[in-house]
Amino acid sequence: EVQLLESGGGLVQPGGSLTLSCAASGFTFSSYAMSWVRQAPGKGLEWVSIIFSGGSRTDYADSVKGRFTISRDISKNTLYLQMISLRAEDTAIYYCARGRHNSDYWGHGTLVTVSS
Amino acid sequence: QSALTQPASVSGSPGQSITISCTGTASDVGSYNFVSWYQQHPGKAPKLIISDVYNRPSGVSNRFSGSKSGNTASLTISGLQADDEADYYCSSFTTSSTRVFGGGTKLTVL
């Protein structure tokens, strides 16, 4: 059974940093592209970032480019999202999801709140 | 990376059919058959219900169907049921190798 389990969310001050993790199981992690998608409270889904199966290529939404870094550790079957210079508008539930052109499995999400 | 355009809300009675549109541009919906649809119930993670414009993942009811014409994709739900009441989002791969979501549509089953 495919499972994605996010962790690392919490309350952080504006300008602060946070790293999210997503532990994957039930499939060959190295064979799939993985994405982060976020959802601000009461708002719609926003694609954030993707890392391709080989790990060498990454892409980001303009809203996070230069501030967020996606990475993966194949040995730990874990996806990461390093976030710096956080802003109030980054407050959201962050989901990790499997797939390149679509997302067939999603985690339950982890809440990031940026507030002083 | 402008969001795809969806109606904010649609409604229908049990047993009826509804269609949700998703309008993009030649740089996303119009360029690839990589349009997907997601259903999200309150407090839950999104669930993939249509991939690659037309395909239903295993376990998804055949009451859900997808189509595309030009820069607009559509999701049709036939035989509406109470449990279909949820938010629905479209998504497309783009020519920048990124992805973009629609703003979401709230479906109310009357």
Side-chain angles (χ1 to χ4, degrees), chain A residues 81-97:
Chain A
L81 186 68
Q82 295 176 277
M83 307 182 293
I84 66 171
S85 303
L86 283 162
R87 308 165 180 166
E89 54 264 36
D90 295 318
T91 294
I93 295 172
Y94 285 73
Y95 296 100
C96 69

Side-chain angles (χ1 to χ4, degrees), chain A:
Chain A
E1 178 191 7
V2 172
Q3 290 193 357
L4 300 170
L5 185 61
E6 302 95 336
S7 60
L11 176 63
V12 60
Q13 293 188 338
S17 302
L18 206 59
T19 297
L20 306 182
S21 300
C22 171
S25 61
F27 65 102
T28 304
F29 182 64
S30 59
S31 296
Y32 288 84
M34 297 293 296
S35 294
W36 288 98
V37 177
R38 69 183 180 182
Q39 187 170 34
K43 303 297 184 181
L45 300 174
E46 179 187 13
W47 178 84
V48 172
S49 182
I50 187 170
I51 184 166
F52 289 78
S53 56
S56 60
R57 180 173 176 179
T58 59
D59 281 305
Y60 300 90
D62 288 344
S63 57
V64 307
K65 200 170 292 184
R67 300 186 300 121
F68 289 13
T69 302
I70 190 171
S71 62
R72 65 197 301 169
D73 185 332
I74 301 300
S75 67
K76 295 182 178 180
N77 282 0
T78 301
L79 177 72
Y80 301 99
L81 186 68
Q82 295 176 277
M83 307 182 293
I84 66 171
S85 303
L86 283 162
R87 308 165 180 166
E89 54 264 36
D90 295 318
T91 294
I93 295 172
Y94 285 73
Y95 296 100
C96 69
R98 187 181 82 165
R100 176 180 179 183
H101 302 127
N102 57 66
S103 297
D104 58 354
Y105 287 94
W106 297 64
H108 60 85
T110 187
L111 177 62
V112 172
T113 303
V114 183
S115 174
S116 55

